[in-house]
Amino acid sequence: MIAACSLSQRVVSKPIRWVCRPLLWRVSMASSAVVQRLEQRAQMADELIVKLKQQVGELKQCAEEREARQLTAENAQLTQEVDRLKKKLIQLEIRNGINQVPLPTSIAKASVTNEQPPSAPKNNAPAPAENAKPAETNANKENKKEKKEGGNKKEKKEGKKQKQQQPAAAVPLDVTALDLRIGRIVDVKKHPDADSLYVEQVDCGEEMPRTVVSGLVKHIPIEQMQDKIVILCCNMKPAKMRGILSQAMVMCASSPEKVELINPPAGAVPGDRVSFNGYQMSESFPPQMNPKKKIFESISPDLRTSDKGVATYKGVPFEIQGKGICKAPTMTNSLIK
């Protein structure tokens, strides 16, 4: 029995080996093919990674170049803008009388040329002392220029002061310094912030009426102010009265108890000038009076009504050429202001 079993095992084992060998060979072949494919794919992946790295590097380089171009363009624009602003600043300084002082380039050049090589210190020792003289002379020249410019500035300032003083001396301290004109009150109302003030719109023969603020509420009813022909002093410096700018002053006969408007003659129209016999009136209107010089204050004591109520300056009547003289309704021997 034992012998028969061993023979049967041998007989069966031989066919199994014959069947398994092709299978093992196929498996080994298949595994080698898979490995080759994996290796090929790994190699392709490595090549793709290298290409991607190259592309990323190229993209970075392109981005850096673009940014560099943009920065250079912006720098060029900024330098142009700085140059333009410098030129504009120089022009404005020149207009304002500021002298432009050039940079001391000669001194800088002298200091550069004075540098000597250290190889021969003995022979070149006196050279710095000799070369220092031009720098000193240049500095002296610049100091002289500054002194001259300072002198010129002083002369200019003195000239300006003289020019300013000349017209001041030319202004007469008499009635011809006043721009007295006829005006018509086209609108009048009470000041919104002051009970004692009127705000009037007065036609003085100009393109636009003038705004005049006057303290006449307690003395003259508003009905008498409307469309009233009055005399104005038109070259007073405009001044704000409770927030409203007044551009002229209504001339009135005045006393502590009473105030009256000065009446022009019949036929007087807005824009007519008041003249005074014996006083030469200029063809153009007198200039605006400077409050610091107290021109009106020095003239006003001689502005009075006569014993007949005629408005006068040192006894000479207020007159509208060809139309008559100006009077107060009832007030005599009173100041006009």
Side-chain angles (χ1 to χ4, degrees):
M1 290 293 291
I2 295 168
C5 288
S6 63
L7 286 172
S8 63
Q9 287 177 357
R10 289 178 185 176
V11 172
V12 173
S13 62
K14 284 182 179 180
I16 290 171
R17 290 178 183 174
W18 293 340
V19 173
C20 291
R21 282 179 183 174
L23 292 173
L24 293 171
W25 180 78
R26 287 179 184 176
V27 170
S28 63
M29 291 295 291
S31 62
S32 62
V34 171
V35 170
Q36 286 179 358
R37 287 179 186 175
L38 291 173
E39 289 177 352
Q40 288 176 357
R41 289 181 180 179
Q43 187 176 359
M44 291 173 64
D46 292 337
E47 292 176 354
L48 184 60
I49 289 169
V50 171
K51 288 182 180 179
L52 290 173
K53 285 182 178 179
Q54 290 178 353
Q55 291 178 357
V56 169
E58 291 175 357
L59 290 173
K60 284 184 179 179
Q61 188 174 0
C62 291
E64 289 175 356
E65 289 177 356
R66 283 183 185 176
E67 189 174 359
R69 288 174 194 166
Q70 289 179 356
L71 290 174
T72 52
E74 290 176 359
N75 288 335
Q77 290 179 356
L78 288 173
T79 52
Q80 290 178 359
E81 185 69 15
V82 169
D83 292 337
R84 186 182 66 80
L85 292 173
K86 280 182 180 178
K87 289 178 182 178
K88 189 175 181 181
L89 179 61
I90 291 169
Q91 291 176 357
L92 292 172
E93 287 180 346
I94 291 170
R95 285 181 187 175
N96 293 327
I98 299 173
N99 294 323
Q100 300 299 312
V101 180
L103 293 173
T105 54
S106 58
I107 295 174
K109 289 180 181 178
S111 62
V112 171
T113 54
N114 288 336
E115 292 180 357
Q116 300 294 334
S119 58
K122 292 181 180 179
N123 295 330
N124 296 328
E130 293 177 357
N131 291 329
K133 291 181 181 179
E136 292 177 358
T137 55
N138 288 330
N140 292 330
K141 287 180 181 179
E142 289 176 0
N143 291 330
K144 289 179 181 179
K145 286 181 181 179
E146 289 177 357
K147 288 180 181 179
K148 288 181 181 179
E149 289 174 357
N152 292 332
K153 286 181 181 178
K154 289 180 181 178
E155 291 176 359
K156 288 179 181 178
K157 288 181 181 178
E158 290 176 358
K160 287 181 180 178
K161 287 181 181 179
Q162 290 177 358
K163 288 180 181 178
Q164 290 175 356
Q165 290 173 359
Q166 285 175 357
V171 174
L173 290 177
D174 58 29
V175 75
T176 58
L178 304 182
D179 181 10
L180 298 175
R181 294 188 232 169
I182 301 299
R184 184 173 71 87
I185 300 173
V186 296
D187 183 51
V188 59
K189 57 186 178 181
K190 287 188 177 181
H191 196 295
D193 298 325
D195 296 334
S196 61
L197 298 178
Y198 284 134
V199 179
E200 306 119 22
Q201 298 297 319
V202 185
D203 177 13
C204 299
E206 300 170 325
E207 293 182 359
M208 299 292 292
R210 294 195 180 206
T211 300
V212 180
V213 182
S214 53
L216 300 174
V217 172
K218 296 179 181 179
H219 305 284
I220 302 170
I222 193 169
E223 294 81 9
Q224 294 182 15
M225 295 289 290
Q226 184 67 42
D227 295 323
K228 182 71 174 175
I229 300 294
V230 294
I231 299 174
L232 296 173
C233 184
C234 294
N235 63 334
M236 307 287 289
K237 185 177 179 180
K240 281 190 176 182
M241 299 181 69
R242 292 293 184 92
I244 296 178
L245 190 68
S246 182
Q247 299 171 312
M249 182 175 70
V250 179
M251 304 301 290
C252 300
S254 178
S255 68
E257 298 81 16
K258 191 176 181 180
V259 175
E260 289 182 346
L261 295 170
I262 300 296
N263 291 329
V269 295
D272 285 347
R273 294 183 67 182
V274 179
S275 61
F276 299 85
N277 188 20
Y279 292 90
Q280 186 64 35
M281 307 297 291
S282 61
E283 294 181 0
S284 59
F285 295 120
Q288 186 181 96
M289 290 183 288
N290 187 348
K292 294 180 180 179
K293 295 180 181 179
K294 306 292 183 183
I295 296 172
F296 183 82
E297 287 78 2
S298 63
I299 298 170
S300 60
D302 295 318
L303 300 173
R304 303 181 65 87
T305 58
S306 67
D307 54 359
K308 295 181 179 181
V310 176
T312 65
Y313 169 72
K314 292 185 177 180
V316 180
F318 285 42
E319 184 178 0
I320 308 299
Q321 287 292 332
K323 297 178 181 178
I325 59 176
C326 306
K327 295 181 179 180
T330 61
M331 295 181 67
T332 61
N333 298 318
S334 302
L335 290 173
I336 298 174
K337 55 184 180 179

